[in-house]
Amino acid sequence: MRPHVTLHTWLKVTRSGRFSSILACRNHTVQQVCSLIFGVQPVPRLSMKDTLQKDPEEVWIFGFGSIIYKQGFEYQRRVDGYIKGWRRVWYQGSTDHRGTEKLPGRTVTVIPDPEGTVWGSAFLLPGDLKQQKQHLEDLEHREKQYDGRERLDVYASDDDSEPALRNVLTFVATSKNVHWLGPASMESVAQQIAAATGPSGPNYEYLECLAEALWKAKVKEPELYELHARVKQIRKEMNGAENGKDTAIQHIAQNGVATQ
């Protein structure tokens, strides 16, 4: 079993150099809307030659979901890239951001897949040890429903001969946490995403912003784009449905969704 590691230990280990100096975590186009809503500020991307780790005090966070388009924290640099041996899936339930206890939303996590790759973004945290620790504590709160922590190698989008960043920390959800929903048919997932909403907004907005970010980065992920298209279709049907019609979406919104 992987030992529990505190934020203080993460930073201490990184500074001591015992690991490879990196921690990583996790429009009017839709992209422009997301930027306006979430206050995302553009930061120049780095080339492969600029991303190889040199400073043992650097702290990096890798994200594969909302962190790509909604950081919510300051960062010094950004590297777009991917991890190997993992696959992005919509298995995690969200009751704190994109849904409720009665109708949880669905958000992405990653699961092991020997043939898989997951595109995302890595962010270099700014500041001294105290500031970096505060940023990580804020992320721990934001990702509190994600119970796993992994150290993964990140490969730059323009070169896969060697990792651009090593031993990077990312926040993942596992099947052991209470909010895990697991696999379901695409139709079931689409209906749930179309209906759910939470403190951070509607679930479909999360999907739209993620799909837009991946599309602009020319990431090949056909299942995600198919899901996005289906959710848009369902929402159009919802908006055009006759009053009082007992649609599947209305049933989910009124009665919740099974989590098994």
Side-chain angles (χ1 to χ4, degrees):
M1 179 179 295
R2 185 186 300 276
H4 176 71
V5 180
T6 66
L7 292 174
H8 177 72
T9 304
W10 275 115
L11 290 166
K12 184 177 180 181
V13 168
T14 303
R15 289 202 179 263
S16 68
R18 286 171 56 193
F19 293 111
S20 134
S21 76
I22 304 224
L23 292 178
C25 305
R26 196 150 147 190
N27 291 311
H28 294 233
T29 64
V30 172
Q31 184 70 19
Q32 290 171 329
V33 171
C34 293
S35 297
L36 290 172
I37 293 174
F38 302 126
V40 177
Q41 298 297 322
V43 173
R45 281 13 178 208
L46 301 181
S47 65
M48 174 63 182
K49 65 180 181 179
D50 294 324
T51 61
L52 291 175
Q53 210 95 23
K54 296 178 181 179
D55 186 350
E57 297 184 354
E58 289 184 346
V59 178
W60 288 83
I61 307 298
F62 180 77
F64 51 79
S66 62
I67 287 179
I68 295 172
Y69 64 84
K70 177 189 176 184
Q71 292 78 49
F73 55 85
E74 296 179 3
Y75 59 91
Q76 184 175 336
R77 296 179 183 176
R78 172 174 179 161
V79 175
D80 291 337
Y82 59 93
I83 54 177
K84 295 181 179 181
W86 297 82
R87 177 164 58 95
R88 187 174 3 235
V89 294
W90 293 84
Y91 290 0
Q92 175 65 0
S94 175
T95 63
D96 60 341
H97 290 298
R98 298 294 179 171
T100 63
E101 291 290 344
K102 184 175 182 179
L103 179 56
R106 278 186 180 260
T107 55
V108 292
T109 186
V110 293
I111 60 174
D113 181 347
E115 303 300 321
T117 60
V118 176
W119 184 91
S121 300
F123 300 92
L124 175 62
L125 298 185
D128 57 19
L129 177 64
K130 182 178 180 181
Q131 292 171 315
Q132 292 165 354
K133 183 173 182 288
Q134 182 60 56
H135 286 310
L136 289 175
E137 287 176 345
D138 293 342
L139 279 165
E140 285 282 353
H141 177 74
R142 168 178 169 169
E143 307 294 336
K144 59 182 178 293
Q145 292 192 343
Y146 282 64
D147 59 321
R149 305 291 180 266
E150 294 287 343
R151 294 190 305 273
L152 305 172
D153 292 345
V154 178
Y155 294 80
S157 299
D158 58 352
D159 192 333
D160 64 356
S161 60
E162 61 179 312
L165 305 171
R166 294 183 182 273
N167 297 325
V168 178
L169 173 71
T170 189
F171 294 82
V172 304
T174 76
S175 60
K176 296 180 181 180
N177 84 67
V178 298
H179 301 287
W180 181 264
L181 297 179
S185 68
M186 178 174 291
E187 181 64 19
S188 176
V189 172
Q191 290 189 5
Q192 188 172 348
I193 291 174
T197 189
S200 295
N203 202 178
Y204 71 78
E205 180 184 79
Y206 172 97
L207 169 58
E208 283 186 348
C209 290
L210 180 57
E212 181 74 9
L214 298 188
W215 181 263
K216 285 185 174 295
K218 299 181 179 180
V219 177
K220 295 180 180 179
E221 201 156 330
E223 289 186 0
L224 187 144
Y225 301 137
E226 183 180 353
L227 176 63
H228 180 217
R230 179 56 185 144
V231 169
K232 288 178 67 176
Q233 181 181 13
I234 291 172
R235 293 190 61 244
K236 184 177 180 180
E237 293 169 355
M238 289 171 60
N239 294 333
E242 296 177 1
N243 291 336
K245 187 176 180 180
D246 185 20
T247 64
I249 291 299
Q250 289 171 341
H251 176 78
I252 291 175
Q254 292 169 4
N255 303 292
V257 62
T259 58
Q260 301 297 324

